[in-house]
Amino acid sequence: MPASQTPGPPSPPFDAAATLERALGALTRLQSERGCWVGEVVWCTMLISQHIIVSHLIGQPLSPERKEKYLRYYRSWQTPDGGFGMHRESPAYVYMTALAYVAMRLMGLGKDEELPRRAREWLRADGGMLHIPSWGKFWLAMLGLYGWEGVNPIQPELWLLPQWAPVHPRRM
């Protein structure tokens, strides 16, 4: 047997119960008094954009501090070509870029300010808002920016299908 393949010392036995206890202990130490765990969640701008849109729709204004944090997040996620992708290494997508553009405008940025201007330029170069998928059309229609006749209808009964069904709405 070559030296690179000589077995080393035997591995200690794996104790799943002890590992679980250590993990639960670590989580318990991180838990705040309110019961939540505070930490960074890295996700694309889609969630922030939807939060901004919903806040606008329900008349719940964002604080200036929160707006500045959101704008910092958008600045750090904007791709060199001006769009927004699914993750940091991702190319830009119409869905993320369109939602980000609308959200930035709802937060009060002018259309010619750098962040929204670059996003708008990317959208125009990549087919525009008409290429946004169904959920994007839904959000735009909720804001009165897109006609409901252009939103693909999904019959509510389809949600009752089993998850494995090929026509389940979660696949649309």
Side-chain angles (χ1 to χ4, degrees):
M1 177 181 320
S4 63
Q5 294 180 1
T6 56
S11 299
F14 179 72
D15 185 353
T19 302
L20 178 61
E21 281 301 315
R22 285 194 310 276
L24 289 174
L27 283 174
T28 302
R29 287 188 298 279
L30 293 173
Q31 191 173 20
S32 76
E33 291 294 320
R34 296 184 334 181
C36 65
W37 288 268
V38 178
E40 182 180 10
V41 176
V42 178
W43 187 242
C44 67
T45 56
M46 174 186 64
L47 294 178
I48 288 176
S49 298
Q50 290 175 346
H51 172 74
I52 294 165
I53 292 168
V54 170
S55 294
H56 175 80
L57 289 170
I58 65 173
Q60 186 71 41
L62 300 171
S63 70
E65 297 81 23
R66 185 165 293 238
K67 283 183 184 180
E68 185 49 44
K69 287 180 180 181
Y70 286 172
L71 289 174
R72 189 177 331 130
Y73 198 72
Y74 282 124
R75 281 185 205 100
S76 72
W77 273 80
Q78 194 166 37
T79 60
D81 58 2
F84 293 89
M86 179 66 88
H87 52 81
R88 291 224 191 256
E89 295 80 27
S90 166
Y93 285 91
V94 171
Y95 181 64
M96 270 56 95
T97 305
L99 290 184
Y101 177 80
V102 169
M104 288 185 282
R105 295 299 313 264
L106 289 173
M107 287 194 300
L109 268 67
K111 68 178 185 166
D112 294 321
E113 291 186 53
E114 184 182 4
L115 278 170
R117 178 189 53 76
R118 290 183 64 225
R120 187 180 67 249
E121 289 169 358
W122 184 91
L123 282 166
R124 284 184 177 156
D126 284 77
M129 296 286 226
L130 293 179
H131 292 276
I132 195 169
S134 295
W135 282 110
K137 291 175 183 174
F138 166 81
W139 286 116
L140 295 177
M142 289 288 291
L143 291 165
L145 300 173
Y146 191 86
W148 282 105
E149 64 278 358
V151 178
N152 297 329
I154 298 178
Q155 296 175 327
E157 294 81 6
L158 289 177
W159 289 99
L160 299 173
L161 289 171
Q163 294 284 322
W164 54 262
V167 293
H168 194 279
R170 73 178 175 85
R171 290 189 173 78
M172 297 180 187

